[in-house]
Amino acid sequence: MAHNLTIAAPARPQVPLQHQRALLARYLKPQRGKVALLGALLFANIGLQLARPLIVRTFIDVALAQGPLDSLFNAGLLFLAVALVNQGVAVAETYVAEDVGWTATNAMRADLVFHCLHLDMGFHNTRTPGELIERIDGDVTALANFFSRFVLLVAGNAVLLAGVLVMLAREDWRVGAVMTVVALGALWVLARSRNIGVAATTEERQASAKLFGFLEERLAGLDDLRANGGGAHTMRRYYEYMRDFFHKWRHAWMLRAIIILIAVVLFVAIFILVLSLGAALYQAGAVSLGTVYLFSAYVGMLQRPLNQITEQMQDLQKASASMLRVEELYHIERQIQDGPGDGLPRGALAVEFADVTFGYGDETPIIDGVSFRLASGEVLGLLGRTGSGKTTLTRLLLRLYDPAAGIVRLGGRDVRDLPVEALRRAIGVVTQDVQLFRATVRDNLTLFDATIPDDRIVAVLRDLGLGGWLDSLPDGLDTELEAGGRSLSAGEAQLLAFTRVFLRDPGLVILDEASSRLDRATEQLIERAVDKLLAGRTGIIIAHRLGTVERADRILILDGGQAAEQGERARLAHDPGSRFHHLLRTGLEEVLA
Ligand code: ATP
Ligand code: MG
């Protein structure tokens, strides 16, 4: 597969800066107003923070000089007011930041889900759903903070840093100069450590995606797993995945911790420096005690920007890794694109395969030079051993895959010339295992198409013999089905799938008959439903039962990827030398199952 999401991270993976900017712009532009508000709140917050030590300095100096009690009282009140407003602003800032972040990342999640829904089956075959969940939700969550706060926090902290340095220089130019040099040096060191953890973090997230992919797969296969005693093996593999995740997480975390450590050491050094400077200046009588307090308070305020810039850098590492993976996912393109032509007419559609060859991987083809024609309104009985490629053949008609060679035609037109949606709308499929969703009966039948009126649904259900079943439902069409249709029998599920096809009224019906046996009564219901479904439509039936085969006008037997035999059913049935004749004699069930 050309596109592989699990490619090892390059030695120093870094999303180019313009990508980060483009991604930010794409999701923040629609929220311009809120982003501006967030900026304003941030600056208000910084201004208020810078004002507070000034008030305390006045208080200390007035108190030491035994000044009037009134001004002390006023300074205290002012301090309280500023502190309160500051808190209010901080709360508002957090709220707006979260709001912006969630709005942006939800839009991104939706875009990714949409993108994945439209990617080829070839892509989904190589990914477990768990892995995609981790990609769509985990990675995007890691980006949330980046969206809501990164730029504002880094910009805000830079302004706060500059503000502190200006305030220090205003008090004493020597202190200001020394602190400027020191702070710039600190920032330089932190910026250099920016990429320490990206590669390790990418690996950590990949290990986590694998763990969830594994869990999802095993939970989905719980029935078979239990029945076959695969529990111990599953636990073992689970431990292995967990251990891998743990090791990668620890490694990445330790690398990220180094950056924190660097920041702490730097900060302690800076604090020692300013206290020594302040003490020396005070002893020389150059500054008041209040000003020494001011120095230490401002330098204390440096800790936050330094820490937060560091933290943001760390986040940037996580975000870079996630962004890399999100971008990667975005850049996987659908290979199956819409054709230039317009849709198909209503009514029965002819089918033609012309020398079609197809394989899932690079190995031997599953379908190897198959040709056949089916006139509109005819029914094809498709036979062959299990694994002979019957289901695969129908997937080519739906363009879930494109053939490697040859042409598939529907209604006389190359399926690659049709819009994919229109093509799939013209074909109704009942697959071997019917997928039912955790939704109402109505939504399961219309597949969420609200334009289909209820009375039509009910009419079709009754027509197909599901009237009794419908009446037994507690809330009628509003009854919620369980995920996977666990509350339904195989026969009922099949009949519901028929109903779906009826409601869409396609020109071609593909019936991939379940090979499991049904009870006699259900089988009769299904036989009747098949008759109704095929009336006025072209049909392809992958049959496992003699009863179904008798409906076919033509027969195609697949063997080893090739059309081993084909022709009119009646003629083949009466030709003692034909495979079909042999099949009929020995019984389909024995030979084909
Ligand atoms: P059955 O009667 O059991 O339904 P079938 O004739 O429908 O069998 P297909 O499902 O078309 O057989 O499978 C044909 C071959 O292609 C099998 O060997 C199968 O392993 C392989 N195959 C099917 N689906 C895929 C897939 N998504 N990826 C890779 N190989 C696949
Ligand atoms: Mg099949």
Side-chain angles (χ1 to χ4, degrees):
M1 202 92 337
H3 37 66
N4 188 354
L5 273 181
T6 51
I7 43 165
R12 290 193 79 184
Q14 236 185 337
V15 181
L17 213 59
Q18 64 264 35
H19 280 218
Q20 295 178 359
R21 245 184 282 138
L23 210 63
L24 269 178
R26 176 141 123 228
Y27 289 100
L28 290 183
K29 256 206 193 121
Q31 308 188 67
R32 262 183 238 106
K34 272 194 264 174
V35 173
L37 174 64
L38 187 52
L41 287 168
L42 206 97
F43 280 105
N45 191 355
I46 292 169
L48 291 169
Q49 281 181 56
L50 285 176
R52 278 182 352 203
L54 285 175
I55 306 172
V56 178
R57 195 252 309 258
T58 311
F59 188 91
I60 293 176
D61 285 346
V62 171
L64 281 178
Q66 313 267 322
L69 212 58
D70 253 15
S71 18
L72 282 185
F73 189 69
N74 285 341
L77 268 185
L78 186 62
F79 183 84
L80 267 181
V82 168
L84 269 177
V85 174
N86 202 348
Q87 283 307 310
V89 168
V91 168
E93 185 197 324
T94 309
Y95 180 89
V96 177
E98 290 293 318
D99 190 44
V100 168
W102 274 94
T103 310
T105 47
N106 276 345
M108 189 179 216
R109 280 190 192 94
D111 285 354
L112 282 177
V113 169
F114 182 83
H115 181 69
C116 285
L117 279 179
H118 288 81
L119 280 175
D120 304 334
M121 291 307 293
F123 166 83
H124 288 288
N125 277 340
T126 55
R127 304 288 181 302
T128 62
E131 199 181 324
L132 284 181
I133 289 172
E134 173 61 19
R135 193 70 37 97
I136 291 169
D137 193 66
D139 281 334
V140 173
T141 304
L143 282 180
N145 168 55
F146 180 76
F147 269 107
S148 57
R149 321 201 65 170
F150 179 78
V151 174
L152 287 168
L153 269 184
V154 170
N157 279 314
V159 173
L160 180 59
L161 203 67
V164 165
L165 292 174
V166 167
M167 298 303 264
L168 284 173
R170 239 184 46 157
E171 295 304 324
D172 188 292
W173 68 270
R174 286 157 297 193
V175 177
V178 170
M179 282 300 132
T180 304
V181 171
V182 170
L184 287 180
L187 272 182
W188 182 78
V189 171
L190 292 173
R192 296 218 24 136
S193 54
R194 194 186 118 165
N195 280 309
I196 292 179
V198 181
T201 305
T202 308
E203 280 187 23
E204 175 199 331
R205 295 211 65 80
Q206 256 160 24
S208 136
K210 276 201 198 125
L211 177 69
F212 283 108
F214 174 80
L215 257 186
E216 194 276 342
E217 186 190 287
R218 295 304 142 115
L219 286 177
L222 209 56
D223 286 355
D224 286 350
L225 212 60
R226 277 207 194 126
N228 297 308
H233 179 254
T234 298
M235 280 316 292
R236 214 192 101 115
R237 298 283 299 150
Y238 184 59
Y239 285 133
E240 280 166 16
Y241 278 116
M242 273 200 299
R243 191 179 50 203
D244 183 47
F245 177 42
F246 171 60
H247 285 164
K248 299 246 163 81
W249 171 81
R250 192 176 53 187
H251 179 62
W253 188 86
M254 294 223 279
L255 286 181
R256 292 198 294 263
I258 289 178
I259 305 172
I260 299 181
L261 197 71
I262 293 174
V264 169
V265 170
L266 273 174
F267 178 70
V268 170
I270 294 173
F271 212 68
I272 293 172
L273 190 67
V274 79
L275 282 182
S276 324
L277 265 176
L281 286 172
Y282 178 65
Q283 265 167 0
V287 297
S288 70
L289 202 57
T291 307
V292 175
Y293 162 78
L294 197 70
F295 287 161
S296 79
Y298 276 145
V299 170
M301 281 171 65
L302 282 181
Q303 184 174 18
R304 249 237 335 224
L306 282 182
N307 271 345
Q308 275 189 348
I309 289 178
T310 319
E311 227 174 74
Q312 291 304 311
M313 288 306 167
Q314 227 193 43
D315 251 340
L316 183 63
Q317 296 190 356
K318 277 196 253 170
S320 291
S322 294
M323 215 177 293
L324 204 68
R325 290 149 55 91
V326 167
E327 285 271 320
E328 237 169 50
L329 189 55
Y330 263 135
H331 285 139
I332 296 172
E333 286 193 8
R334 279 211 272 171
Q335 271 152 9
I336 294 181
Q337 297 286 355
D338 283 334
D342 40 45
L344 288 158
R346 298 204 74 85
L349 296 163
V351 176
E352 184 187 350
F353 273 56
D355 219 2
V356 172
T357 299
F358 169 78
Y360 287 101
D362 313 321
E363 324 88 60
T364 45
I366 305 286
I367 304 283
D368 192 1
V370 169
S371 298
F372 71 86
R373 255 173 217 273
L374 191 63
S376 68
E378 276 190 333
V379 175
L380 177 76
L382 189 54
L383 305 177
R385 273 180 231 294
T386 178
S388 56
K390 303 180 297 290
T391 303
T392 304
L393 196 102
T394 64
R395 287 183 185 141
L396 295 178
L397 258 171
L398 285 158
R399 270 194 98 199
L400 294 179
Y401 302 90
D402 273 340
I407 302 179
V408 178
R409 291 197 180 89
L410 184 67
R413 300 179 39 198
D414 188 333
V415 289
R416 281 171 298 195
D417 290 341
L418 298 166
V420 179
E421 285 280 320
L423 169 72
R424 294 186 183 156
R425 221 178 312 124
I427 306 176
V429 191
V430 179
T431 51
Q432 276 171 304
D433 59 328
V434 180
Q435 293 285 334
L436 293 164
F437 303 97
R438 187 188 197 94
T440 61
V441 171
R442 178 186 301 101
D443 286 341
N444 263 294
L445 291 177
T446 60
L447 290 178
F448 311 97
D449 178 355
T451 60
I452 301 178
D454 279 4
D455 31 346
R456 226 185 112 209
I457 304 175
V458 174
V460 173
L461 282 174
R462 295 212 185 279
D463 197 28
L464 292 187
L466 284 171
W469 175 78
L470 181 64
D471 295 334
S472 75
L473 294 175
D475 300 318
L477 289 178
D478 289 314
T479 311
E480 290 269 338
L481 286 186
E482 274 185 56
R486 273 189 303 258
S487 48
L488 295 171
S489 75
E492 284 164 347
Q494 286 266 322
L495 286 169
L496 287 184
F498 281 110
T499 313
R500 263 183 200 164
V501 175
F502 263 111
L503 289 172
R504 284 181 37 212
D505 192 22
L508 168 69
V509 173
I510 297 174
L511 242 162
D512 204 339
E513 204 174 53
S515 37
S516 60
R517 286 178 171 279
L518 303 166
D519 63 84
R520 197 66 209 122
T522 315
E523 207 168 291
Q524 270 172 355
L525 277 183
I526 289 190
E527 303 267 291
R528 263 191 37 219
V530 172
D531 279 339
K532 288 187 177 152
L533 203 55
L534 291 176
R537 299 190 175 90
T538 311
I540 295 181
I541 307 182
I542 301 175
H544 293 101
R545 281 186 291 264
L546 274 175
T548 337
V549 171
E550 270 158 23
R551 239 177 236 104
D553 302 303
R554 302 180 62 81
I555 294 292
L556 173 64
I557 301 182
L558 281 180
D559 191 7
Q562 294 177 334
E565 186 170 283
Q566 60 169 312
E568 281 171 40
R569 184 184 58 84
R571 189 178 59 75
L572 291 175
H574 292 115
D575 176 357
S578 74
R579 283 195 187 217
F580 185 58
H581 185 83
H582 177 70
L583 278 180
L584 291 181
R585 271 211 332 264
T586 39
L588 280 184
E589 285 86 348
E590 283 73 43
V591 183
L592 295 178

